[in-house]
C-alpha cells in the first residue's frame, strides 16, 4: 500500500493524535502524539489492510542541539581529550527526546515510519512491548542509552550498561566517566614512540640482534 | 523436549517430599563460558536439569559504537561497522554504505555494486562456516572446526588480496569500494574456490556433521521456534527461515544489484524433526552457502567494466539533512541502520538494528522448559555475535 | 639432575671433550655425549622453566574480534599446538596464560580481574590487539571501554594489531616463552623491516 494511504488510514483512526505527515522526506514519516502511540501501533498491527506484524527497529533519539537548518552545525558531543581526560561543557541541554518506530508487514510487503517527540523533562512514552514482543529489548536499550522511560514496560532495566551506571550515554550532554566502580575509564596520555624513526642500527642483524637503539 | 511452556511441576514451590525442602537453583552461564559464543551471560533458574527461567544479560562488549558515530565522520565510521559482526564484516560494511547512499541519493557504479556483492557473499560464506564450526563444537564435535577453518582461511586470503586486511577490511566506502580487483587471476581464483566448495567441501561437512546420527539426536526437535514466535520477536535471517518463512531481504526488499541474480531461499522443512528446530536452522546455513556460491558466480560472470568509485577516495562525505532507515541481509539476518543527518560530515544519530540482538531475545521464551544442554544447542543454533548485540 | 655440575660425571671421557661443542642450546642445557648414553647438565630452574614454556595452557577467554583470530591460531593452518599452547582450558584454574583477546569494557573488567585472580601461579598475560593494549579505536568516545588492560592486570607481552594476524600472536607467544626462559627477547627491529618501511609511500 502507498505511504500516503497508510497515513490516511492511521489519521482516520487517531484523529487529533496524528500530528503531522512528512511525505517529502527521503523516507516519509508520521508524527504521532506520544500518548497515542500504543493505540496507533495496535491499530497498525491489527487492521488487516495494514497488518504490520514486525517492528523492525525502535530508536531513541536525543534531539538536543540539532541543526534545524541542515547546515551540519549541530552541537558536538563530548569525548575524552588526547590526555585521556573527560571533556566537559558549561552548556545545559534543553532539546526534546524522541522515539522512531520502523514497521514492516510480511504479508503486505510495506513499511511505515512513526515518530514521537517528548519534552526532555517528561522523557516518558507509553510502551509498545505488548504489541510486538521484540519491542521490549529495544525499549530497554532506549532507556539505557537515551534515558526515555517507557510507561507500562514490564521490565524496564538497563540493557547494556550496568544497573549502577550513571547517566545515559547517547544524550548529547553526556560527560564521559573517569572512573566507574573502581575501574579506570580514563585513558593515559599517549606514550612517546620508543623507536623513533632514526637510522636503523647497523651491524649484525641476526637472531638476538645488535645493541638496541637508545630510547628517546 | 516440549518447548514454550513452563515445566514447573511444583517442585519449586512446595515441599514435594515431606521433610525435604527444594528450591530453584540460580546459575550463571557466562560471561566467560565456552558455549556462549563470546561474553554473553545467561542467568538461569533451573529446576533440576530443566530451565525454569532464562535471562540474557548483555553489555559485556558494549563498545559505544553509536556514540562514536556521532563523533567521527561517515567514512571513518565504516571501520566500526567492521567490528560489529566481525565474522562477516563485508556484510556490515554493505549495510552501512547502503544507508548512507540512500540519504545521499548517489548513483553507485555497477562495477562497485558487483564487487560489493561478491565480497559480501564471500564474507557470508566465511561467517556460515564459523557458525557450522562453533555449533559443532557446542555439540561436542571438534573435527568439523578444523575443516571449516581450512576453507575460511582460503576466503580470508582472497579477501586479503582484495582489501588488504586479513579479517576486518574497511573495504566499502559511500559511493563505491576502496580497491578494484587486485590482479587478473583474482576472479579465476574465486571461481575455483567456490567450485571446489560446492562440489567437494560441502559434502565433507554433510558427511561429518549434518547427517551424523549423534548430531541429529542433539539438534532435531530441540529448541523449536515456531513461525508465529519468530515473527513476533522479529527474528530474521537463518533463524526466521529455519522456521519455514521464506523471507530474505535480498529478494523481498532488494538492495544493491541482488535483483539481477537468480538464487533460491532455503527454508527449514522439518526434515529431521519439527519445523524450526536447531537442525533446520543449521541446515539453512549449509544450503545458503550453496546459494551464495551461485550468486558469486553470476556476479563475477557479469562483472562490468568501468569505474568503481562514484566519490573520490580522498573526498570528505557530506550527507544532506534527513533521516533514513535502510536494511540489508547480513549473514545473521536483517541489519538495519537508521541514520539521522543534520547535513554535516558527522551523523547526528546512527541507530543500528542488529540481527543477533533481536534473534537472541527469543531465548527468553523458547529456552524455558528445556534441558540445560538443549539450551546450549539453542543458543548455538541462533549463531549470535556479541559484537553486534552489544555494539 | 642432582649431580654437581662441577664434578665430572661417571663415564665422562676427557679425551672426547670436543664433543662439548655439540651444544643444542647453551642457555638451556649442555649435552655431553658419552659412550654409555646422553645426559644433560643443567639447573633445576632451567628445567622447570623449560617445562613451563613448553606447555603453556591458555584459558578460553575470547572477548571480541581478536578471539576469532585466536581461534584461527589454534585451528588448522596455524596450529598453536606446535608450540605447546594448544590446550585451551575452559576454567582459569587449569590455565597458565590469559590471552586478553579483544576490547575490555567496564562491565567485563571486574570479571577479567576475577578470572585472573583464579588462575594459579605462575601465570602470564598476553594483551592481544590494540583495544587490549590501549583502547584502540575506542579511545576517544569509548565511555565503556577500559583503555588498556594493563590498568587491571599486569601484562607480559603486547601483541599489536587490529586484529593481530595469527603469525603475530605466535610471535607474541614465542616472546613470552623467551621471557619464561629468562632470556632477553629479540626487541630490535630487523634492518630489512626498517628498510622496507622507508619504501612504503604514505598518503598525505
Amino acid at each position: 500500500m502507498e505511504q500516503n494511504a497508510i497515513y490516511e488510514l492511521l489519521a482516520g483512526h487517531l484523529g487529533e493524535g496524528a500530528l503531522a505527515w512528512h511525505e517529502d522526506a527521503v523516507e516519509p514519516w508520521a508524527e504521532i502524539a506520544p500518548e497515542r502511540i500504543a493505540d496507533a501501533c495496535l491499530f497498525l498491527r491489527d487492521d488487516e489492510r495494514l497488518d504490520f506484524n514486525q517492528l523492525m527497529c525502535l530508536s531513541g533519539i536525543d534531539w538536543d542541539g540539532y541543526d534545524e537548518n541542515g547546515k551540519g552545525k549541530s552541537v558536538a558531543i563530548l569525548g575524552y581529550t588526547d590526555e585521556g581526560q573527560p571533556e566537559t561543557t558549561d552548556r545545559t541541554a534543553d532539546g526534546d527526546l524522541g522515539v522512531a518506530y520502523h514497521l514492516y508487514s510480511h504479508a503486505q510487503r510495506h513499511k511505515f515510519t512513526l515518530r514521537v517527540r517528548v519534552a526532555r523533562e517528561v522523557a516518558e512514552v507509553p510502551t509498545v512491548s505488548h504489541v510486538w514482543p521484540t519491542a521490549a529489548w529495544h525499549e530497554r536499550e532506549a532507556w539505557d542509552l537515551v534515558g526515555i522511560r517507557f510507561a507500562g514496560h514490564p521490565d524496564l532495566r538497563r540493557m547494556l550498561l550496568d544497573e549502577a551506571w550513571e547517566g545515559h550515554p547517547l544524550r548529547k550532554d553526556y560527560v564521559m566517566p573517569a572512573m566507574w566502580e573502581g575501574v579506570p575509564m580514563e585513558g593515559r596520555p599517549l606514550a612517546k614512540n620508543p623507536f623513533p624513526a632514526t637510522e636503523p642500527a647497523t651491524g649484525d642483524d641476526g637472531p638476538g640482534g645488535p645493541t638496541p637503539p637508545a630510547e628517546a | 523436549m516440549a518447548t514454550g511452556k513452563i515445566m514447573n511441576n511444583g517442585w519449586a514451590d512446595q515441599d514435594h517430599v515431606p521433610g525435604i525442602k527444594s528450591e530453584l537453583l540460580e546459575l550463571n552461564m557466562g560471561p566467560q563460558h565456552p558455549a556462549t559464543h563470546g561474553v554473553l551471560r545467561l542467568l538461569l533458574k533451573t529446576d533440576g536439569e530443566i530451565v525454569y527461567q532464562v535471562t540474557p544479560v548483555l553489555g559485556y562488549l558494549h563498545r559505544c559504537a553509536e556514540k562514536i558515530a556521532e563523533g567521527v565522520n561517515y567514512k571513518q565510521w565504516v571501520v566500526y561497522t567492521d567490528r560489529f559482526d566481525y565474522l562477516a564484516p563485508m556484510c556490515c560494511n554493505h549495510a552501512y554504505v547502503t544507508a548512507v547512499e540512500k540519504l545521499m541519493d548517489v548513483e553507485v557504479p555497477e562495477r562497485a555494486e558487483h564487487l560489493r556483492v561478491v565480497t559480501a557473499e564471500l564474507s557470508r560464506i566465511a561467517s556460515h562456516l564459523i557458525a557450522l564450526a562453533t555449533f559443532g563444537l557446542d555439540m561436542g564435535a571438534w573435527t568439523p572446526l578444523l575443516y571449516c577453518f581450512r576453507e575460511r582461511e582460503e576466503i580470508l586470503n582472497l579477501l586479503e588480496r582484495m582489501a588488504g586486511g586479513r579479517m576486518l577490511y574497511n573495504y566499502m566506502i559511500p559511493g563505491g569500494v576502496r580497491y578494484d580487483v587486485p590482479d587478473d587471476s583474482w576472479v579465476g581464483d574465486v571461481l575455483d574456490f567456490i567450485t571446489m566448495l560446492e562440489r567437494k567441501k560441502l559434502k565433507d561437512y554433510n558427511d561429518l556433521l549434518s547427517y551424523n546420527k549423534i548430531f541429529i539426536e542433539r539438534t532435531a526437535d530441540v529448541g523449536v521456534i515456531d513461525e508465529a514466535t519468530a515473527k513476533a520477536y522479529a527474528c530474521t535471517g537463518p533463524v526466521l527461515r529455519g522456521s519455514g518463512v521464506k523471507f530474505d531481504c535480498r529478494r523481498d526488499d532488494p538492495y544493491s544489484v541482488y535483483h539481477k541474480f537468480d538464487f533460491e531461499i532455503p527454508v527449514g522443512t522439518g526434515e529431521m524433526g519439527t519445523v524450526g528446530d536447531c537442525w533446520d536452522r543449521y541446515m539453512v546455513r549449509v544450503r545458503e552457502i550453496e546459494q551464495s556460491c551461485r550468486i558469486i558466480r553470476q556476479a563475477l560472470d557479469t562483472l562490468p567494466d568501468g569505474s568503481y568509485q562514484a566519490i573520490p577516495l580522498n573526498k570528505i562525505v557530506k550527507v544532506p539533512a534527513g533521516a533514513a532507515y535502510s536494511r540489508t541481509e547480513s549473514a545473521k539476518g536483517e541489519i538495519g541502520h537508521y541514520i539521522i543527518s543534520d547535513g554535516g560530515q558527522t551523523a547526528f544519530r546512527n541507530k543500528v538494528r542488529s540481527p543477533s540482538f533481536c534473534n537472541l531475545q527469543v531465548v527468553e521464551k523458547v529456552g524455558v522448559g528445556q534441558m540445560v544442554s538443549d539450551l546450549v544447542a539453542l543458543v548455538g543454533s541462533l549463531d549470535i555475535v556479541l559484537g553486534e548485540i552489544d555494539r | 639432575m642432582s649431580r654437581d655440575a662441577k664434578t665430572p660425571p661417571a663415564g665422562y671421557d676427557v679425551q672426547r671433550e670436543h664433543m662439548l661443542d655439540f651444544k643444542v642450546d647453551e642457555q638451556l642445557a649442555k649435552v655431553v655425549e658419552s659412550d654409555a648414553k646422553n645426559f644433560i647438565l643443567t639447573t633445576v630452574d632451567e628445567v622447570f622453566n623449560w617445562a613451563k614454556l613448553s606447555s603453556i595452557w591458555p584459558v578460553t577467554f575470547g572477548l571480541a574480534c581478536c578471539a576469532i583470530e585466536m581461534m584461527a591460531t589454534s585451528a588448522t593452518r596455524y596450529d598453536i599446538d606446535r608450540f605447546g599452547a594448544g590446550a585451551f582450558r575452559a576454567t582459569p584454574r587449569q590455565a597458565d596464560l590469559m590471552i586478553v583477546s579483544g576490547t575490555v569494557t567496564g562491565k567485563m573488567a571486574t570479571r577479567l580481574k576475577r578470572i585472573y585472580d583464579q588462575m594459579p601461579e605462575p601465570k602470564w598475560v598476553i594483551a592481544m590487539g590494540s583495544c587490549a593494549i590501549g583502547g584502540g579505536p575506542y579511545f576517544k568516545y569509548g565511555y565503556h571501554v577500559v583503555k588498556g588492560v594493563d590498568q587491571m592486570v599486569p601484562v607480559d607481552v603486547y601483541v599489536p594489531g587490529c586484529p593481530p594476524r595469527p603469525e603475530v600472536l605466535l610471535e607474541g607467544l614465542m616472546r613470552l616463552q623467551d621471557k619464561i626462559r629468562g632470556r632477553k627477547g629479540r626487541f630490535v627491529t630487523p634492518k630489512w623491516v626498517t628498510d622496507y618501511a622507508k619504501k612504503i609511500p604514505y598518503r598525505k
Side-chain angles (χ1 to χ4, degrees):
Chain A
M1 197 184 279
E2 288 294 312
Q3 297 280 303
N4 286 353
I6 296 173
Y7 180 70
E8 274 165 27
L9 279 176
L10 180 65
H13 174 76
L14 288 181
E16 293 284 308
L19 298 179
W21 173 239
H22 302 259
E23 61 175 319
D24 299 331
V26 181
E27 233 175 34
W29 53 279
E31 173 117 34
I32 307 290
E35 61 275 8
R36 299 295 303 278
I37 183 66
D39 187 14
C41 288
L42 264 177
F43 173 73
L44 287 168
R45 187 194 68 175
D46 290 340
D47 193 298
E48 68 268 13
R49 292 164 294 180
L50 303 173
D51 194 18
F52 283 105
N53 63 343
Q54 192 189 9
L55 175 73
M56 289 191 291
C57 185
L58 187 151
S59 329
I61 305 150
D62 181 7
W63 288 102
D64 175 52
Y66 182 69
D67 180 13
E68 301 288 345
N69 304 319
K71 302 286 185 203
K73 304 283 185 202
S74 298
V75 173
I77 59 167
L78 305 170
Y80 291 98
T81 59
D82 283 352
E83 283 71 42
Q85 298 304 313
E87 293 170 352
T88 52
T89 179
D90 299 332
R91 183 177 165 277
T92 43
D94 55 353
D96 290 347
L97 303 175
V99 184
Y101 304 79
H102 293 87
L103 318 179
Y104 179 68
S105 164
H106 275 109
Q108 305 285 344
R109 302 272 162 108
H110 52 211
K111 300 183 201 170
F112 199 61
T113 308
L114 299 171
R115 275 198 214 163
V116 300
R117 210 169 159 125
V118 288
R120 204 177 188 83
E121 310 78 65
V122 180
E124 186 163 284
V125 177
T127 179
V128 294
S129 58
H130 56 285
V131 186
W132 300 284
T134 183
W137 277 22
H138 284 293
E139 288 180 349
R140 278 178 63 189
E141 192 194 314
W143 156 242
D144 185 359
L145 298 183
V146 191
I148 300 168
R149 297 199 71 88
F150 288 89
H153 191 286
D155 182 24
L156 194 66
R157 289 176 293 123
R158 281 180 181 268
M159 187 84 240
L160 299 174
L161 299 170
D162 197 273
E163 208 55 40
W165 193 271
E166 284 175 19
H168 301 283
L170 283 186
R171 290 205 174 181
K172 296 289 176 185
D173 57 343
Y174 180 71
V175 178
M176 311 237 163
M179 183 73 101
W180 174 74
E181 302 256 317
V183 179
M185 288 295 170
E186 60 189 7
R188 291 156 301 180
L190 294 174
K192 279 182 188 168
N193 182 5
F195 301 116
T198 52
E199 285 298 307
T202 51
D204 175 30
D205 270 325
T211 51
E215 293 208 353
Chain B
M1 179 57 60
T3 58
K5 68 179 179 224
I6 296 175
M7 304 283 289
N8 177 17
N9 47 14
W11 270 97
D13 301 333
Q14 58 188 349
D15 295 337
H16 197 72
V17 181
I20 297 178
K21 176 84 178 157
S22 72
E23 58 184 15
L24 290 177
L25 176 70
E26 280 199 27
L27 196 64
N28 263 310
M29 197 169 142
Q32 189 257 332
H33 189 279
T36 51
H37 292 227
V39 285
L40 172 67
R41 174 173 165 218
L42 295 171
L43 199 57
L44 306 182
K45 278 188 183 167
T46 61
D47 182 1
E49 191 71 7
I50 309 294
V51 175
Y52 182 82
Q53 188 187 16
V54 46
T55 316
V57 182
L58 309 181
Y60 291 95
L61 191 54
H62 178 49
R63 297 194 278 193
C64 334
E66 289 177 12
K67 186 78 172 176
I68 294 170
E70 297 169 13
V72 301
N73 69 34
Y74 286 98
K75 265 186 185 170
Q76 287 170 334
W77 204 61
V78 178
V79 175
Y80 296 90
T81 64
D82 274 331
R83 282 147 187 82
F84 284 155
D85 181 355
Y86 37 77
L87 300 177
M90 287 291 188
C91 297
C92 294
N93 277 190
H94 202 174
Y96 176 61
V97 295
T98 309
V100 175
E101 282 154 9
K102 186 174 179 182
L103 268 174
M104 290 172 74
D105 201 17
V106 62
E107 186 84 12
V108 183
E110 198 82 338
R111 186 178 177 83
E113 290 283 24
H114 276 250
L115 291 178
R116 282 180 183 180
V117 166
V118 171
T119 48
E121 294 300 322
L122 279 174
S123 243
R124 188 189 310 274
I125 294 175
S127 166
H128 282 346
L129 287 176
I130 296 255
L132 310 190
T134 50
F135 191 36
L137 207 58
D138 290 348
M139 298 296 101
W142 166 258
T143 322
L145 181 128
L146 300 174
Y147 282 72
C148 291
F149 266 85
R150 184 185 62 187
E151 269 73 71
R152 183 172 176 272
E153 294 287 342
E154 296 295 324
I155 295 177
L156 296 192
N157 272 4
L158 289 169
L159 289 178
E160 185 180 351
R161 281 165 67 188
M162 183 78 156
R166 192 184 119 88
M167 196 175 127
L168 306 176
Y169 308 107
N170 188 17
Y171 177 60
M172 300 178 195
I173 48 171
V177 294
R178 229 167 246 276
Y179 308 110
D180 201 355
V181 172
D183 47 54
D184 296 337
S185 60
W186 191 81
V187 171
D189 288 351
V190 174
L191 290 174
D192 285 352
F193 170 73
I194 59 173
T195 309
M196 187 262 296
L197 193 68
E198 274 177 326
R199 294 212 183 130
K200 186 164 183 301
K201 304 296 181 183
L202 280 176
K203 190 174 166 299
D204 280 359
Y205 307 143
N206 285 339
D207 290 348
L208 270 172
L209 196 59
S210 310
Y211 296 104
N212 183 315
K213 182 88 170 55
I214 304 168
F215 181 70
I216 292 171
E217 287 287 317
R218 285 292 309 273
T219 54
D221 280 332
V222 167
V224 180
I225 303 174
D226 57 31
E227 188 184 326
T229 311
K231 280 182 174 172
Y233 281 88
C235 293
T236 45
V239 179
L240 182 67
R241 293 193 280 276
S243 302
V245 183
K246 221 177 179 99
F247 178 81
D248 191 322
C249 281
R250 290 175 288 174
R251 188 199 61 178
D252 294 305
D253 191 5
Y255 58 97
S256 191
V257 285
Y258 277 108
H259 59 274
K260 285 163 60 173
F261 306 130
D262 175 36
F263 61 99
E264 284 160 22
I265 300 173
V267 292
T269 52
E271 211 176 306
M272 293 294 159
T274 324
V275 178
D277 59 10
C278 292
W279 194 87
D280 270 354
R281 286 192 285 281
Y282 163 84
M283 206 57 202
V284 163
R285 295 200 179 91
V286 177
R287 289 175 182 148
E288 271 187 20
I289 293 179
E290 291 175 39
Q291 300 305 321
S292 290
C293 291
R294 279 181 70 185
I295 296 175
I296 292 171
R297 184 169 288 116
Q298 294 172 49
L300 283 179
D301 284 347
T302 58
L303 184 64
D305 291 330
S307 158
Y308 56 94
Q309 283 170 356
I311 304 167
L313 199 59
N314 55 1
K315 198 177 166 204
I316 290 177
V317 171
K318 278 195 177 183
V319 175
Y325 178 81
S326 145
R327 59 175 182 171
T328 65
E329 187 77 17
S330 148
K332 308 286 182 291
E334 172 192 320
I335 180 160
H337 281 264
Y338 182 48
I339 300 181
I340 301 176
S341 169
D342 58 353
Q345 301 173 5
T346 306
F348 182 75
R349 172 84 169 94
N350 193 338
K351 156 85 184 180
V352 185
R353 180 255 194 239
S354 60
S356 298
F357 183 80
C358 300
N359 290 349
L360 179 65
Q361 197 179 357
V362 86
V363 170
E364 277 187 345
K365 180 157 187 251
V366 179
V368 173
Q370 310 245 3
M371 308 272 282
V372 175
S373 56
D374 291 346
L375 187 75
V376 172
L378 174 64
V379 174
S381 73
L382 291 178
D383 186 24
I384 51 167
V385 167
L386 267 295
E388 73 177 3
I389 290 178
D390 294 344
R391 296 188 293 283
Chain C
M1 293 304 153
S2 59
R3 209 187 298 277
D4 188 354
K6 284 174 184 170
T7 56
Y12 182 70
D13 191 355
V14 186
Q15 296 290 318
R16 304 185 65 188
E17 203 172 10
H18 66 277
M19 290 301 287
L20 280 172
D21 290 337
F22 179 64
K23 290 178 216 165
V24 174
D25 189 339
E26 62 177 2
Q27 297 286 330
L28 178 67
K30 289 177 180 171
V31 177
V32 183
E33 182 154 322
S34 72
D35 290 323
K37 55 182 179 181
N38 292 341
F39 58 93
I40 295 171
L41 288 182
T42 181
T43 61
V44 175
D45 264 4
E46 282 184 351
V47 170
F48 275 23
N49 287 344
W50 170 81
K52 282 175 200 163
L53 70 91
S54 305
S55 74
I56 307 173
W57 287 9
V59 57
T60 312
F61 191 58
L63 287 173
C65 329
C66 294
I68 306 298
E69 287 297 62
M70 190 172 78
M71 279 167 73
T73 315
S74 67
T76 323
R77 184 179 288 177
Y78 296 98
D79 191 11
I80 201 172
D81 241 346
R82 292 178 292 161
F83 308 98
F88 280 85
R89 308 314 291 177
T91 162
R93 296 186 193 281
Q94 299 170 353
D96 313 305
L97 167 67
M98 183 161 72
I99 302 176
V100 185
S101 53
T103 317
V104 183
T105 59
K107 225 171 159 179
M108 198 66 202
T110 48
R111 274 75 175 173
L112 180 137
K113 185 79 168 62
R114 182 175 298 181
I115 287 167
Y116 178 79
D117 290 344
Q118 284 176 354
M119 285 165 61
E121 293 278 357
K123 52 192 172 186
W124 298 278
V125 176
I126 290 181
M128 180 183 181
S130 41
C131 294
I133 292 174
Y138 302 97
F139 187 91
K140 175 83 177 163
Y141 297 107
Y143 52 82
H144 196 231
V145 175
V146 176
K147 279 88 183 167
V149 70
D150 49 7
Q151 301 190 54
M152 300 300 299
V153 295
V155 175
D156 293 287
V157 176
Y158 297 86
V159 179
C162 190
R165 298 175 64 93
E167 296 95 321
V168 186
L169 182 59
L170 290 179
E171 172 79 14
L173 182 76
M174 282 181 248
R175 294 290 74 78
L176 180 67
Q177 289 179 334
D178 281 348
K179 183 170 182 174
I180 298 170
R181 195 183 277 133
R183 189 189 262 184
K184 198 179 276 184
R186 177 165 31 126
F187 54 91
V188 177
T189 316
K191 187 165 179 296
W192 68 269
V193 173
T194 46
D195 285 354
Y196 181 74
K198 277 181 191 168
K199 290 177 192 161
I200 300 173
Y202 290 102
R203 283 205 190 86
K204 290 279 167 64

